[in-house]
Amino acid sequence: MSRITSWPLPLKRFLRALPFSDWALVNPVWRWRLARYNANASGHRLKVGFGPIVSGEYTLGNRKWEIDPIVDFLNERSQHYVADVFFRHSDWTRFAVVVLVKFMPPPRELEALKASGTRLVYNLSDGIIGPGQDRRIRDFIRNVDAVIVENPLSRDELAPVHPRVRYCLTPLINRSFKTSYSERGVVRLFWEGHAPNVTYMEDFNREVVQELARDESHPIEMVYHTNLPSRCDGPIRYLRWRMGRWESARLSADIAVVIKPPDDFAQQRKPSAKVLTFMVSGLPTVCTPSAADRDILEHGTTGFFAYTKEEWLHYLRLLISDQALRASMGRAARKAALELAAIERIGPQYEALFDEVLDG
């Protein structure tokens, strides 16, 4: 549904005059808020707060990946917990457990929270804690009740710092996926992400894409769905990212590609969210993996690992030339992703952690 700011003025005046419950019927944001309000009106379940909420409604930041799906799961399915979101300066002490996503409160606020008896869980998300990080970050981690990480390297590195570190995948939020794998003239390779990470693809463009493009028997196109202006550069096309097409752009592709260099400290500690998203969309994925990607993608079954130019060319040529292989691998990838990271699997992991910190 369009934002209200784009609607005609008389319609906006009419909607603003509606009672809260009627307004919720026509606006998805308020409908979500009303559902949270109704769930939190129940007094027998323990309250869990997620935040802080500092990103907009129409983004795909940590709010959509790390917060909203778990809030909805708890409110709709949990027998013991009810969830709400909070803003940076709201009253956190109304919660039995607060899950901080990539946010560290100032020391004074942290002390007040701990004094109130509120349990604190820190979700590192895609944040990176390096060996040279300042002492304040590690002191903060020592003072929370549990830590959630999304990469096995982060789990192993923080284990000596905190006794309760849990490795938990990012929940899936895709609603659509490929249902057919038609054989057509141009095979589309696809990558999606923030523009700064396109730099990791420069050698790939120069050495792999250009060589594949010279094979006229199997024409290809490399599409980058990113926050750069739309433009074409030979076989390489940049598609400006839009919230409204974040799924449809991916479903128009045939093969997903991801590169996280093995010698890059930060990239190796990134979560597997991008690869999981491609997998659950039904796309066969070829990647130079992070440690987390190696946990979720099975080489030869749900995708391929490629570390050298020769491996990239070999595996991409296999998929480009064989539509049946793309289809079987894409369907296997979706099945595996749902088994690993569907909210029905991730939600109970959060519940079990809340049980543990409250018992502790």
Side-chain angles (χ1 to χ4, degrees):
M1 185 174 291
S2 302
R3 298 188 191 206
I4 187 173
T5 52
S6 66
W7 296 348
L9 183 60
L11 180 57
K12 286 194 287 185
R13 288 173 176 165
F14 167 74
L15 291 172
R16 286 171 180 153
L18 288 175
F20 178 80
S21 57
D22 291 341
W23 168 251
L25 296 176
V26 295
N27 183 286
V29 173
W30 280 102
R31 190 160 58 243
W32 189 72
R33 291 176 178 171
L34 179 61
R36 279 176 26 235
Y37 175 83
N38 289 336
N40 276 265
S42 171
H44 70 280
R45 293 190 285 174
L46 293 170
K47 284 185 168 56
V48 179
F50 287 77
I53 299 297
V54 293
S55 61
E57 299 282 355
Y58 296 91
T59 68
L60 279 180
N62 286 105
R63 166 154 195 188
K64 295 302 180 190
W65 291 106
E66 313 286 349
I67 295 175
D68 291 7
I70 307 299
V71 168
D72 290 341
F73 174 85
L74 295 175
N75 287 342
E76 295 167 7
R77 309 187 193 190
S78 176
Q79 299 296 312
H80 305 290
Y81 299 102
V82 64
D84 202 354
V85 298
F86 63 92
F87 291 80
R88 195 181 292 271
H89 297 294
S90 64
D91 178 18
W92 302 357
T93 58
R94 61 193 173 99
F95 302 111
V97 180
V98 163
V99 182
L100 301 163
V101 183
K102 287 185 69 174
F103 173 74
M104 295 182 295
R108 185 173 299 177
E109 292 184 10
L110 179 63
E111 292 173 8
L113 265 174
K114 291 182 71 65
S116 72
T118 300
R119 300 288 195 266
L120 297 178
V121 176
Y122 180 54
N123 186 343
L124 182 62
S125 183
D126 61 349
I128 307 298
I129 299 179
Q133 292 284 0
D134 64 47
R135 182 177 176 181
R136 183 181 74 89
I137 296 176
R138 293 179 181 270
D139 285 347
F140 166 77
I141 288 175
R142 291 187 183 97
N143 277 283
V144 299
D145 296 282
V147 182
I148 295 173
V149 298
E150 299 178 19
N151 186 293
L153 291 180
S154 299
R155 174 198 59 199
D156 297 344
E157 290 161 355
L158 289 180
V161 180
H162 198 287
R164 193 178 285 124
V165 178
R166 296 293 178 268
Y167 174 28
C168 186
L169 297 178
T170 310
L172 301 170
I173 63 170
N174 301 56
R175 296 184 181 276
S176 57
F177 55 94
K178 292 182 77 68
T179 56
S180 63
Y181 297 81
S182 60
E183 189 169 5
R184 54 192 176 89
V186 178
V187 174
R188 178 175 292 177
L189 314 182
F190 186 84
W191 179 91
E192 186 173 62
H194 292 292
N197 292 325
V198 176
T199 58
Y200 295 107
M201 312 294 288
E202 291 175 354
D203 290 342
F204 175 78
N205 289 338
R206 182 175 59 254
E207 299 177 4
V208 176
V209 174
Q210 296 296 339
E211 184 162 339
L212 290 172
R214 287 194 287 269
D215 183 357
E216 296 181 1
S217 62
H218 294 101
I220 62 105
E221 177 184 49
M222 178 68 226
V223 175
Y224 290 97
H225 193 204
T226 186
N227 53 325
L228 290 173
S230 297
R231 64 183 176 90
C232 287
D233 184 10
I236 300 170
R237 182 158 70 94
Y238 294 88
L239 177 65
R240 188 170 183 83
W241 195 92
R242 292 284 187 272
M243 179 68 178
R245 65 183 178 207
W246 77 274
E247 289 190 281
S248 61
R250 189 181 310 111
L251 298 186
S252 67
D254 298 287
I255 304 166
V257 298
V258 179
I259 295 179
K260 298 175 184 173
D263 57 352
D264 188 292
F265 182 92
Q267 289 294 312
Q268 282 301 300
R269 285 154 182 79
K270 286 288 185 179
S272 56
K274 189 188 300 290
V275 171
L276 277 168
T277 301
F278 291 148
M279 290 172 63
V280 80
S281 297
L283 286 173
T285 302
V286 184
C287 72
T288 303
S290 69
D293 297 334
R294 289 192 292 273
D295 276 355
I296 58 100
L297 191 144
E298 184 178 350
H299 179 74
T301 302
T302 57
F304 293 112
F305 295 139
Y307 295 91
T308 66
K309 173 187 173 181
E310 291 71 24
E311 289 175 341
W312 273 101
L313 288 169
H314 173 67
Y315 294 128
L316 285 175
R317 281 172 173 151
L318 278 179
L319 289 166
I320 290 169
S321 63
D322 191 339
Q323 180 266 347
L325 177 61
R326 294 200 303 271
S328 63
M329 188 166 279
R331 293 187 178 108
R334 174 169 170 78
K335 181 176 183 292
L338 289 171
E339 291 172 354
L340 288 166
I343 191 63
E344 291 80 8
R345 177 179 176 87
I346 303 302
Q349 293 177 11
Y350 274 75
E351 284 190 283
L353 182 59
F354 299 153
D355 290 342
E356 190 174 336
V357 298
L358 288 167
D359 289 344

